[in-house]
Amino acid sequence: MKNIKLIFGFLFLLAVSISCSIPEGISSDTSLTGVGSGNVAKIFDISTDNSGNVKITPTGNGVTSFTVNYGHGSGSSASAVVTPGGSTSHSYPEGTYTVSIISTDIAGNQTTATYPLTVTYVAPTNVTISTDGDMGVSATANYAKSFLVYYGDVANEVGTPMAIGQTLPAHIYPSTGAPFTLSVVALSGGAAKTTVTKTLFGFPIDFENTSINYFFGTFGGVSFDTVANPNASGLNTSANVGRYTKHNGDASWSGTYSPLNNPINFSYGKKIKVFVYNPSPANIGKTMNVELEWYVGDNTGNSNPWGAVVKTPITKSGVWEELVFDFSTNSNIPISPLPRFTQLVLRFNDSADGTGEIIYVDNFRLTN
């Protein structure tokens, strides 16, 4: 009997010892933690700005920590430990990934769950092309990572990479083959991309290309428009030409102006030749001005212009003739070493106010 009492006493002390080793308020039943019950969830907050940033917020019942394996990256950048209620972020290239989350409970038990993640970049928007006076190209866009520039002057052209905020160096176009189409491809960083184009206006000018808006702004009252050739014969049988009208009373200094986003490059020649048709004998002897402007400063037109001017008289009536404007010897200022000219100005008979004169022009070209 005494031995039996000793055994019961030992068992009682053992039970007390075991009960004291479990902290108060924490159950030893790990089946209640929910770690193995499938309650662990994840939240992917995927950015929409093509940064590839994904915020991952794991949740679960009874979990003391999460280890998030991004499914991308290496070393310490491939995973992160997250406390309950916390989150982690990772930058992904466009693609498909498997994210695994290891959940650990108070007892050290771990459960791993995997989740598919797809990161897709959107096509850039609001793509804008800018060119300066020397044909330096830049561009802006929403959601773009970089750009490719195609100048459009060679066959099978390979795009020139351009970074955000970068302006590419000056590009020299050939003297023939205009108009050129400049293309800029805005890259998202993934498969999506957006392409925009800009038709470059410059020499030669022949009024025949329907894709070009032959914009000749005017000042002092004159008008300028594209019309059918009034006398398709002789030197000029083209379909369309430019018509310059100096109305009665228009100011002597009146004229037209046309910005050239493909600037005039006198390395290809220093003479500008123009076909002119004068329908009235009264206009013989009156001069036509070809004036070229560039702007001091940023070539945007917001600063003072400098102009090279050459005047040539009309000598014929009723037929097309070719007038030559020699900027190598007849210009009022030297044309070198000035920057390339980015605006063409036309004036007619700038010594008197208008009397209703009309002249037609065509086929502006640069030559020697």
Side-chain angles (χ1 to χ4, degrees):
M1 178 63 97
K2 183 177 179 181
N3 289 336
I4 292 174
K5 288 181 180 180
L6 289 172
I7 291 171
F8 275 113
F10 174 76
L11 292 175
F12 175 76
L13 291 174
L14 180 62
V16 171
S17 174
I18 292 173
S19 66
C20 292
S21 67
I22 301 175
E24 183 178 356
I26 297 180
S27 172
S28 63
D29 185 359
T30 59
S31 67
L32 300 178
T33 64
V35 172
S37 66
N39 289 336
V40 173
K42 62 95 179 67
I43 297 176
F44 287 151
D45 184 4
I46 304 174
S47 63
T48 59
D49 60 357
N50 289 355
S51 66
N53 290 330
V54 178
K55 182 180 179 181
I56 304 172
T57 306
T59 62
N61 299 326
V63 178
T64 59
S65 69
F66 303 94
T67 299
V68 178
N69 294 304
Y70 300 123
H72 171 261
S74 60
S76 60
S77 64
S79 63
V81 176
V82 181
T83 58
S87 62
T88 181
S89 294
H90 187 74
S91 181
Y92 289 90
E94 184 176 65
T96 300
Y97 305 91
T98 298
V99 177
S100 64
I101 299 178
I102 303 172
S103 306
T104 304
D105 67 8
I106 188 66
N109 298 312
Q110 292 185 329
T111 300
T112 301
T114 59
Y115 306 94
L117 169 65
T118 299
V119 177
T120 303
Y121 290 176
V122 299
T125 60
N126 297 326
V127 183
T128 302
I129 302 175
S130 298
T131 56
D132 63 22
D134 277 337
M135 274 307 301
V137 178
S138 60
T140 60
N142 296 333
Y143 315 125
K145 288 289 187 65
S146 62
F147 302 94
L148 285 176
V149 175
Y150 294 84
Y151 292 101
D153 56 354
V154 296
N156 303 316
E157 182 178 3
V158 176
T160 301
M162 182 173 67
I164 301 295
Q166 181 183 8
T167 298
L168 293 182
H171 183 79
I172 307 302
Y173 278 90
S175 60
T176 60
F180 300 103
T181 300
L182 175 69
S183 300
V184 173
V185 182
L187 305 175
S188 67
K193 58 187 177 182
T194 302
T195 301
V196 295
T197 61
K198 182 175 184 177
T199 301
L200 302 178
F201 182 54
F203 281 15
I205 300 173
D206 61 8
F207 304 99
E208 299 298 330
N209 194 308
T210 58
S211 67
I212 296 178
N213 178 19
Y214 291 99
F215 171 71
F216 280 71
T218 62
F219 53 93
V222 302
S223 61
F224 189 95
D225 51 352
T226 300
V227 298
N229 189 338
N231 184 14
S233 63
L235 288 178
N236 189 17
T237 59
S238 65
N240 300 310
V241 298
R243 180 175 61 189
Y244 183 113
T245 303
K246 191 172 183 180
H247 310 89
N248 287 323
D250 286 351
S252 60
W253 45 263
S254 61
T256 74
Y257 63 93
S258 185
L260 306 173
N261 47 29
N262 185 12
I264 294 174
N265 184 357
F266 279 117
S267 66
Y268 294 127
K270 295 178 173 56
K271 297 177 182 178
I272 293 177
K273 295 183 178 180
V274 185
F275 287 160
V276 175
Y277 177 73
N278 165 38
S280 172
N283 292 331
I284 293 177
K286 295 179 181 179
T287 61
M288 178 178 170
N289 296 16
V290 170
E291 305 179 11
L292 306 175
E293 293 181 343
W294 67 284
Y295 287 86
V296 178
D298 58 4
N299 285 345
T300 63
N302 296 322
S303 50
N304 295 325
W306 284 59
V309 181
V310 174
K311 301 181 181 184
T312 302
I314 291 176
T315 64
K316 298 179 181 180
S317 175
V319 295
W320 284 96
E321 68 173 316
E322 182 178 73
L323 298 186
V324 179
F325 300 82
D326 188 348
F327 283 83
S328 65
T329 59
N330 298 333
S331 174
N332 61 310
I333 63 172
I335 60 172
S336 179
L338 296 178
R340 290 185 290 277
F341 293 89
T342 57
Q343 184 150 275
L344 170 67
V345 174
L346 303 180
R347 300 181 200 258
F348 178 70
N349 194 31
D350 65 354
S351 62
D353 291 347
T355 59
E357 301 102 320
I358 296 176
I359 59 171
Y360 299 86
V361 293
D362 196 16
N363 198 17
F364 290 76
R365 61 207 184 279
L366 189 64
T367 184
N368 286 311

